Amino acid sequence: MAYARDWYGKHGFVRHPSLVAEKRIINVGELDERAEELLKSGLAVLEGDAILIDITALGYNKLGGRGKAMKKMVVIGPEATESAIRKLEAVGGKFVKVGGAGA
């Protein structure tokens, strides 16, 4: 122990919290439940038979896969999980990626 007194403990680089982008996640199930409310408030648009929703306008930057998608939705956002994309495509919708993960 005489030669390596500072061997134990935390070493390495840790980013400052102000530099790390916070993930704000909304799940597919919650979007499906709120779709009618978003249409009425003007935050979503009916495009053909699909509901077009921009999650960045709602203050979110990631689409999660929890819940069920019953309505055909086209969701626009910077990031989505694979299960969320699969659930949207299963009902005829899709996910459109725009911007980066930190955008």
Side-chain angles (χ1 to χ4, degrees):
M1 265 333 241
Y3 297 108
R5 292 187 180 154
D6 62 343
W7 181 265
Y8 297 102
K10 294 183 179 178
H11 298 283
F13 181 74
V14 178
R15 294 187 73 137
H16 193 271
S18 67
L19 299 174
V20 179
E22 180 186 344
K23 298 278 186 208
R24 295 210 13 125
I25 301 172
I26 187 165
N27 288 306
V28 171
E30 187 179 344
L31 265 185
D32 192 69
E33 291 172 9
R34 294 179 55 193
E36 298 298 325
E37 170 194 331
L38 294 171
L39 278 171
K40 288 178 185 172
S41 65
L43 293 170
V45 181
L46 193 62
E47 193 175 88
D49 60 343
I51 302 169
L52 181 70
I53 304 171
D54 185 1
I55 60 172
T56 54
L58 303 175
Y60 298 98
N61 57 9
K62 186 170 184 177
L63 180 65
R66 201 174 260 180
K68 289 185 178 180
M70 307 299 273
K71 298 174 182 74
K72 185 176 179 181
M73 296 182 286
V74 176
V75 181
I76 300 170
E79 210 175 330
T81 63
E82 286 182 29
S83 62
I85 295 170
R86 270 187 271 132
K87 288 179 182 184
L88 287 174
E89 290 172 350
V91 293
K94 66 179 179 176
F95 177 78
V96 180
K97 184 175 180 171
V98 263

